[in-house]
C-alpha cells in the first residue's frame, strides 16, 4: 500500500507539469506509473490490518485527487489538439479561400 501511495503522489506531480515541450515525457511517465499501479492492485488482497485500513482510507482521498488530475490533464491535451486542428483549418481557408464556397448553380472558375 505504501508503494501505491508513492506512485499516486508521483502521478500527481507528473500531471502538474504544464510545459508542452515535456508533454511526451510526462505521458510516458504516466503510462508507466499506471501500469505499475495495475500490477500492485492485484497484490492488494484482504484481510487488512487496522493500520492498512487507515492507510487505505487515506488512499481513497488521494485516488480522487489522482483521477481529477488525470482527467484535467487529458482535457488540456484534447483542447490543445482541437486548437491545433482549428489552426490548420484556418490556414487552409487562408490559402484557399474559395475551397468551401457553395456551388449551387453559380459559376465557379476552376482555373486559378
Amino acid at each position: 500500500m505504501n508503494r501505491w501511495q508513492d506512485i499516486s503522489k508521483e502521478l500527481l506531480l507528473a500531471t502538474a507539469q504544464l510545459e508542452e515541450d515535456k508533454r511526451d515525457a510526462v505521458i510516458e511517465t504516466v503510462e508507466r506509473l499506471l501500469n505499475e499501479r495495475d500490477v500492485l492492485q492485484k497484490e492488494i488482497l484482504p484481510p487488512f490490518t487496522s493500520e492498512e485500513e487507515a492507510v487505505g482510507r487515506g488512499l481513497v482521498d488521494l485516488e480522487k485527487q489522482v483521477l481529477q488530475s488525470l482527467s484535467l490533464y487529458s482535457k488540456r491535451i484534447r483542447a490543445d489538439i482541437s486548437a491545433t486542428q482549428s489552426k490548420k483549418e484556418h490556414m487552409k481557408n487562408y490559402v484557399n479561400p474559395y475551397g468551401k464556397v457553395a456551388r449551387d448553380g453559380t459559376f465557379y472558375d476552376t482555373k486559378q
Side-chain angles (χ1 to χ4, degrees):
M1 286 198 170
N2 290 331
R3 181 67 183 139
W4 181 282
Q5 187 175 18
D6 294 340
I7 291 174
S8 297
K9 289 178 181 179
E10 287 180 45
L11 277 170
L12 286 174
L13 290 175
T15 55
Q17 295 181 7
L18 302 177
E19 297 88 15
E20 287 186 33
D21 57 335
K22 295 180 180 178
R23 183 170 287 163
D24 290 336
V26 170
I27 291 172
E28 288 177 13
T29 302
V30 168
E31 287 178 354
R32 179 184 52 81
L33 291 172
L34 289 175
N35 289 335
E36 286 182 32
R37 279 174 34 133
D38 284 342
V39 171
L40 287 176
Q41 185 176 10
K42 295 173 186 174
E43 295 176 4
I44 299 174
L45 300 171
F48 300 116
T49 64
S50 59
E51 181 181 303
E52 290 174 336
E53 286 181 10
V55 171
R57 286 189 201 98
L59 288 177
V60 170
D61 295 333
L62 186 61
E63 188 66 21
K64 289 178 185 176
Q65 292 175 356
V66 168
L67 288 176
Q68 184 179 15
S69 179
L70 286 172
S71 67
L72 182 63
Y73 196 76
S74 65
K75 284 180 186 178
R76 285 188 198 125
I77 291 173
R78 286 190 200 115
D80 289 345
I81 289 171
S82 69
T84 301
Q85 289 174 343
S86 176
K87 286 179 186 178
K88 285 181 182 180
E89 189 65 31
H90 289 314
M91 182 59 82
K92 286 179 186 177
N93 289 339
Y94 180 76
V95 171
N96 186 9
Y98 300 109
K100 290 190 175 182
V101 174
R103 298 181 181 110
D104 54 348
T106 59
F107 177 74
Y108 179 67
D109 187 11
T110 57
K111 298 179 185 175
Q112 292 182 356

